[in-house]
Amino acid sequence: MKAGVVSPLFFAHSLQLSDTVPAKRTGDTLQKDTVVRRQADSSRLKKDSLVVVADTVPLSKDSLDAPVHYHADDSALLMVPTRNFVLYGKARTEYKDMKLDAGVITYDDSTKVITAYGAKDTTGDLASKPTFVQGDLKSISDTIIYRMNDARALTKNTFFQEGEIFVNARALKKVDSNSIFARDARFTTCNLDTPHFAFRTRRMKIVNDKIGVTGRVYPEVESVPIPMISLPFSLFPLNRERHGGVLFPTFTASESFGLGLEGLGYYLTPNQYSDITITSNIYSYGGWRLNTASRYVKRYKYTGSLNISLQKTRTLNTGFIAKDEFSQSNTFMINWSHSRDSKARPGTSFSANVNFGSTRFNRNQFTNPYQNFQNQLSSSVSYNKDWNGKYNLSLNLNHNQNSVSRLMNLNLPTANFNVVTMYPFQKKEQVGAQKWYEKIGIGYSGNFQNLVSFYDSAFSFKKMLDTLQWGAIHSVPITLALPALGPFIVTPSVSYGERWYGQRIFRSWNNTLKKVDTTIQKGFYTAREMSFGAALNTRIFGTYLFKRSKHVEAIRHEIRPSVSFSYRPDFGAKYFYNTRIDTAGNVMRFSQFDGGIIGPISEGAFGGITFAVDNLLEMKVHNRDTTSKEKSRKVKLLDGFGFSGSYNFLIDSFALSSINLYARSTLFEKVSITASAVLDPYQVNARGYRVNKLALDPSKLNFGRLINTSLAVSTSFSSKTRDGKEAEDKNIPVDPFMTPDEQQRQLQFVRANPAEFTDFNIPWTVSLSYSLSLNRQMKPDYSGFESIVYSTMNFNGDFSLSPKWKLGGQGFYDFSTAKLQQFSMFISREMHCWQLSINVMPIGIYRSFNIMFSPKSGILRDLKINRSRTFTNY
C-alpha cells in the first residue's frame, strides 16, 4: 500500500529537473556543490538537500497551490520523463474540496489533467467505478477527466444526484463549480438503479442549487420510452433555500358549483421573518374563493399567523320548487394567532387566537366535511401585566358565535385585577414566633365585563348598542393561616363581595296577550354579599395487600374529604319578586338581575356545611418487563371520583343542595373515561317543578333524579408492526399557531398524499370516541321542563389489504337523530416513487370522490393525474 502527501515543491523539484544544478564527480567521490542558490545573496549552502525553505526557492508558475493527498492499495508510480504520476488499486486523491476514488488515477503534470477510470475484477466485470465528490456534488462515472487549473471536467456514463433529482448522462461536462451540461440524459426522482419512471432529453443544463433546464423531453416508464408524449422544454427549481413560486391548481367538477380549478396561487417570501401563501378557487358557475395565509416568526420576540378568506358562493338550485336558478352568498373568515415570547418583555404577555367570520362560511366549504359541522366559533385576545408578583392585570377581548342561530356575542373587553394575599400585621423583621394576628391575610379580586350581542342576518349598529350589557364583581377575601391540628388542616375565612349591574330585568304577566312580558331598565345598580366560614380537610390512606397473587401486589385507596362551615346573610332577597307565568295561575320567583352578564346574588341566608369527597384508587402489579430494573409498577384504576354538595340549616325547604358527581379514569392506558352528573334529591310534581319532598330511598337504591349528565369515552388501538420495531410517527406535526382552516387544509393534503403519512408497516389502527350528554331545562314558555339528549360517536381506522395497499375511513354518527352524519373512506397504494390515492365521501352535506396519481417527490408533485367530482346532498 502506498500513501503520502505530495506538496507543490515536490512537483517543482521532482518533475521539473531542468532547474537543478548537476553534481560534479572526481573519481568515485561526489564533489560538494550547491543545489540551489538564494536570490538575495551569493553564499552557498554547505550541504546538498532536497528539503529547502519555501522562501529560498523560486516556484514554477504552473505548480499546484495546495497539497495533494493520495492513497493506493496496489502501488504509486512516478514517471519522471513524461511527468506522470499513476495510482493503482482502489486509488484515492484529495485536493482542496475535491475527492476522487477510482480503480486507476493518472495525473499529467504538464497539462494538470487527472484521468480516472475503473478496473476490472477477476471475472472481467468493471469494478471500482470512479467517484467524484466536490462540495455537495457527488457523481459516479465510467471515466472522469478533470483539469485542475480551471476545475473543468468531462465524464462518461455519469450518475449523480442534485437535490431530489437523480441524473444519468452519457456525457457530462462541468464548466465551473456551479454549472453542468449533460448530453443524452435521463433524470428521475426514483432512487432505484433501474427507476420505475424517468424523463429523457438530449440536452440538459443544471446550475447547482438554482435551476435545471432541458431541451425536448419525453417520459419513459419501466425503461420503455414514450416519445409521443413530449414537451419542447422543461424547467425545475433546485434552490433549497426559501423562495417564492407558482402553486399549480387541481381540476374538480361539482353539480352545484360547476367545473373548477382549486389551489391556484403563489407563494411569497417577503423577508426572513415571514411568508405569504395566496391561493384561489374558481368555478364555472361564477363562484370563487380567495385565501391569503401569512406566517411570521421572530426569535425571542413573537410568532403568529394571519389567514383571511373571501368567498362568493354561487350554486345551482336542483330542487323543483326553487324560485331562482342560482343561489349565492358572500362570506368571509379571519383567523389570527399571535404569541409573544416571555423573554421579549418580562412581566407582560400578549396572545391572540381569533376566529371571526360569517356564520355560513363553514357550511359552504364543500371540500372540507370537518368544517361543515363546526357550528361554534370563538376568539380571544389577551394582555397580562404582572407587578413583581404582587399585582396582576389581565385584559381580554372575547367573541363567540353560533352558525345555527347566527347569534354573535362580543366581550369588549373583560378586565381582571388581582392583588395577592397580603399580611398587614406581619412585621418586616420577624423576631421569635409569629402571633396569631400576624397570619391574617387580605386580598382583592376584581372582574369587569361587558357584552354586545347581535344576529349577523339583521345587523344594525343601533340595535347592537341597545344590547350592550356591562357588570363588575369585586371580592375581598380575608384568611387566617392556623397550624395543623394533627392530621387536620383548619382554614377560617371572611369574604366580602359587591356586584355592579348595568341593567335590571322585570317580568310581568300580560292578561291581554296571555303571556309574560319582559322590561329592561338601563342604569347603575349594585348588590352586596358577605360570608364567614372555616374549612377542614385531611387525607386518609388505605392499602390491601395480596400475598399469594402472581400479578397483583396491592390496591391503594386514598380519600380526601373536606368540610366547610359557613354563614352568609340574606342580602339578595330584596332583589327577588314573584310573577305569574301561565293562565293556570302558576307563579315563579325571579331576580331583577336574571339574564344579565353578571349572575344574581343567591336569595336567602345560608348557614350550614359544604362537603366534598375525592378518591384515588390505584394498583401495584408485578412488572412483566424483565429488562426493567423496577420489580413492580403502578396502575391507576380511577384517577379521581367523588361528590360534593351542601346543606343549609337556616331554611325550611330545599335545605339539601343538588349533589355533583364525577369520575375520571384511564383504563389499561388505552381507554380514557370522563363522567359527571348532577343529582337532584327532591321530587317533582306533574309539571316538573320541584316539591319539598326528598326522593331518597336507599332501600330501593333511589338517591334522586339525574338532571344533567355527561359521559366521554375515547380509545385507540393499533396492531404491532410487521418488523416488530417501534412504530414510526408519521402524524402531521402539531402547530399551535395554525388556524382551523390551515389544519383542515393540511389534513386534506395528508389524505391526498397518503404514502407520505400512512404507515404501511402497521397492519391496522382503530380509534373511537363517544360522548353523551343529557340536560334538563325549562321550556321557553315556562310550561314545564324538557330533557335534551346529545349522543354522538366519532370513529377512524385503517387496515392493510396487503403490504402496499391501505384501506381506511372515518365518520360521525349522531344517535339523537339515528343518522350517520358524515362518512369518508380512502384507499392508498404505495408504489415506491409514486402514490395512488382514492378518497370517497358518500355521506355528508356534500358527497364527493377524488382519484389522484402523482409522484412522491416535491419537485414533480404537480405532474399529478387528478379526477374529482362533488355533489350536493341537500
Side-chain angles (χ1 to χ4, degrees), residues 587-648:
V587 175
M588 283 192 66
R589 194 160 177 81
F590 296 95
S591 171
Q592 299 176 11
F593 306 117
D594 280 334
I597 189 174
I598 300 295
I601 294 176
S602 300
E603 180 186 19
F606 181 87
I609 62 173
T610 301
F611 52 89
V613 178
D614 186 32
N615 297 265
L616 172 66
L617 194 64
E618 57 186 2
M619 179 172 58
K620 182 180 288 187
V621 298
H622 294 287
N623 196 346
R624 297 183 179 181
D625 187 2
T626 57
T627 61
S628 176
K629 296 180 181 180
E630 301 293 335
K631 295 183 179 180
S632 59
R633 60 186 181 91
K634 291 182 180 180
V635 177
K636 287 188 177 181
L637 301 178
L638 285 173
D639 299 334
F641 68 98
F643 60 90
S644 63
S646 62
Y647 190 89
N648 189 356

Side-chain angles (χ1 to χ4, degrees), residues 338-371:
H338 180 89
S339 177
R340 189 170 67 186
D341 197 306
S342 59
K343 303 181 185 66
R345 185 175 294 179
T348 64
S349 65
F350 177 79
S351 63
N353 184 14
V354 176
N355 303 287
F356 178 79
S358 305
T359 54
R360 307 293 294 177
F361 182 87
N362 286 341
R363 187 173 179 85
N364 292 334
Q365 305 302 302
F366 72 92
T367 60
N368 197 327
Y370 310 97
Q371 282 188 267

Side-chain angles (χ1 to χ4, degrees), residues 397-445:
L397 307 180
N398 299 303
H399 142 265
N400 66 80
Q401 65 186 87
N402 187 288
S403 61
V404 178
S405 64
R406 309 188 73 169
L407 177 64
M408 291 190 177
N409 297 312
L410 302 178
N411 293 88
L412 304 171
T414 297
N416 294 279
F417 183 74
N418 298 296
V419 179
V420 299
T421 303
M422 300 181 298
Y423 298 91
F425 304 108
Q426 194 175 67
K427 298 177 182 179
K428 292 184 179 180
E429 295 182 1
Q430 188 67 38
V431 178
Q434 284 185 321
K435 306 296 183 180
W436 67 270
Y437 56 82
E438 293 180 340
K439 298 180 180 180
I440 297 177
I442 184 171
Y444 170 79
S445 175

Side-chain angles (χ1 to χ4, degrees), residues 530 566-573 602-608 647-653 655:
M530 195 169 185
S566 60
Y567 169 73
R568 186 187 69 240
D570 186 6
F571 288 172
S602 300
E603 180 186 19
F606 181 87
Y647 190 89
N648 189 356
F649 294 100
L650 300 183
I651 57 177
D652 55 359
S653 61

Side-chain angles (χ1 to χ4, degrees), residues 413-688:
T414 297
N416 294 279
F417 183 74
N418 298 296
V419 179
V420 299
T421 303
M422 300 181 298
Y423 298 91
F425 304 108
Q426 194 175 67
K427 298 177 182 179
K428 292 184 179 180
E429 295 182 1
Q430 188 67 38
V431 178
Q434 284 185 321
K435 306 296 183 180
W436 67 270
Y437 56 82
E438 293 180 340
K439 298 180 180 180
I440 297 177
I442 184 171
Y444 170 79
S445 175
N447 174 265
F448 175 82
Q449 302 181 41
N450 59 65
L451 175 67
V452 174
S453 301
F454 60 92
Y455 291 92
D456 72 338
S457 57
F459 175 76
S460 170
F461 188 75
K462 183 179 181 301
K463 292 181 179 179
M464 183 184 72
L465 292 180
D466 291 340
T467 65
L468 175 64
Q469 300 182 47
W470 66 270
I473 300 177
H474 307 274
S475 177
V476 181
I478 301 174
T479 59
L480 175 62
L482 297 178
L485 301 176
F488 301 97
I489 299 176
V490 181
T491 308
S493 63
V494 178
S495 179
Y496 171 79
E498 183 168 320
R499 303 190 184 191
W500 296 349
Y501 300 92
Q503 67 179 25
R504 294 189 300 183
I505 299 176
F506 292 96
R507 297 172 177 85
S508 60
W509 176 254
N510 189 325
N511 256 331
T512 304
L513 301 178
K514 306 298 182 183
K515 69 180 186 68
V516 177
D517 289 337
T518 302
T519 304
I520 299 177
Q521 295 181 356
K522 298 288 186 178
F524 177 74
Y525 310 97
T526 62
R528 298 165 183 82
E529 61 181 343
M530 195 169 185
S531 64
F532 308 86
L536 176 69
N537 59 78
T538 187
R539 300 172 69 183
I540 304 172
F541 302 92
T543 304
Y544 182 81
L545 301 176
F546 293 82
K547 297 182 179 180
R548 299 182 179 179
S549 175
K550 296 182 179 179
H551 304 292
V552 182
E553 294 183 8
I555 291 180
R556 180 175 177 269
H557 184 199
E558 180 181 347
I559 307 174
R560 294 186 287 260
S562 64
V563 179
S564 62
F565 303 87
S566 60
Y567 169 73
R568 186 187 69 240
D570 186 6
F571 288 172
K574 59 183 178 181
Y575 305 114
F576 282 78
Y577 59 92
N578 295 324
T579 295
R580 179 182 171 185
I581 60 172
D582 55 24
T583 56
N586 291 304
V587 175
M588 283 192 66
R589 194 160 177 81
F590 296 95
S591 171
Q592 299 176 11
F593 306 117
D594 280 334
I597 189 174
I598 300 295
I601 294 176
S602 300
E603 180 186 19
F606 181 87
I609 62 173
T610 301
F611 52 89
V613 178
D614 186 32
N615 297 265
L616 172 66
L617 194 64
E618 57 186 2
M619 179 172 58
K620 182 180 288 187
V621 298
H622 294 287
N623 196 346
R624 297 183 179 181
D625 187 2
T626 57
T627 61
S628 176
K629 296 180 181 180
E630 301 293 335
K631 295 183 179 180
S632 59
R633 60 186 181 91
K634 291 182 180 180
V635 177
K636 287 188 177 181
L637 301 178
L638 285 173
D639 299 334
F641 68 98
F643 60 90
S644 63
S646 62
Y647 190 89
N648 189 356
F649 294 100
L650 300 183
I651 57 177
D652 55 359
S653 61
F654 304 109
L656 183 61
S657 71
S658 298
I659 307 300
N660 297 307
L661 309 173
Y662 65 91
R664 58 186 183 276
S665 178
T666 303
L667 300 180
F668 314 110
E669 299 180 354
K670 285 290 185 181
V671 183
S672 176
I673 302 175
T674 303
S676 64
V678 177
L679 191 68
D680 188 354
Y682 290 94
Q683 299 180 11
V684 296
N685 58 21
R687 293 173 58 95

